[in-house]
Amino acid sequence: MCLHNIFFPQILLTLLFIIILTAIPPFRHKFHDTFEISHRYLGWSCLIILVLHQIRFQFIIALNQAYPLETLLTNPVLLMIALMIFSIFLPWISVQCFDNFRMHCPSEGVLVVTLPGRADVGTFARISLDGIEWH
């Protein structure tokens, strides 16, 4: 057994464990920025590690087949990874920038943001003032 076959899953499980620990409500409330950063960057890291590990593993399997390209294109694992990546990026494709919004702060810790237009059922908004922090 190769070292990287053990190494990738251990890294993935460690990162997922850290994400889970930071999501525990007392920790999340006390260290909210750490929670946000760990979920953003460790989550992306987990996705990248999973994709690289599975693509490498599936290519090794496909190379031992009679028709490697057909094996890759019909492989359910690679198709699920492609669907997962597409579903993660789909909401970010439709992000729009609004300059004409209103902000109202009724109390400390609460900010009401009103965007122009009408929201349909099932729509949501990502709010960012600097393009880095999103809520």
Side-chain angles (χ1 to χ4, degrees):
M1 181 178 283
C2 295
L3 179 63
H4 51 267
N5 287 341
I6 299 170
F7 190 62
F8 275 142
Q10 284 182 342
I11 290 175
L12 189 61
L13 287 174
T14 302
L15 294 179
L16 287 172
F17 186 70
I18 293 169
I19 290 171
I20 291 168
L21 285 179
T22 60
I24 295 172
F27 184 90
R28 186 177 66 225
H29 293 303
K30 189 170 184 177
F31 304 103
H32 187 75
D33 289 341
T34 303
F35 161 76
E36 291 279 343
I37 290 169
S38 69
H39 275 69
R40 181 178 304 122
Y41 296 112
L42 297 182
W44 284 110
S45 299
C46 286
L47 178 66
I48 291 167
I49 290 169
L50 176 68
V51 168
L52 291 176
H53 179 65
Q54 280 302 312
I55 287 175
R56 189 191 133 278
F57 185 69
Q58 298 304 325
F59 269 98
I60 291 169
I61 291 173
L63 290 176
N64 294 325
Q65 303 295 321
Y67 302 101
L69 184 60
E70 182 181 335
T71 303
L72 285 174
L73 294 177
T74 59
N75 187 316
V77 173
L78 292 180
L79 294 175
M80 287 302 293
I81 287 175
L83 181 64
M84 181 175 61
I85 292 170
F86 177 73
S87 67
I88 289 170
F89 282 105
L90 183 62
W92 290 97
I93 294 171
S94 63
V95 170
Q96 297 177 3
C97 183
F98 289 102
D99 292 331
N100 54 344
F101 59 90
R102 289 189 357 229
M103 291 192 302
H104 171 64
C105 191
S107 65
E108 185 179 333
V110 176
L111 178 66
V112 177
V113 178
T114 306
L115 300 173
R118 181 178 164 200
D120 295 325
V121 174
T123 59
F124 59 93
R126 283 187 190 81
I127 308 296
S128 176
L129 297 177
D130 59 3
I132 297 171
E133 295 291 326
W134 294 85
H135 294 276

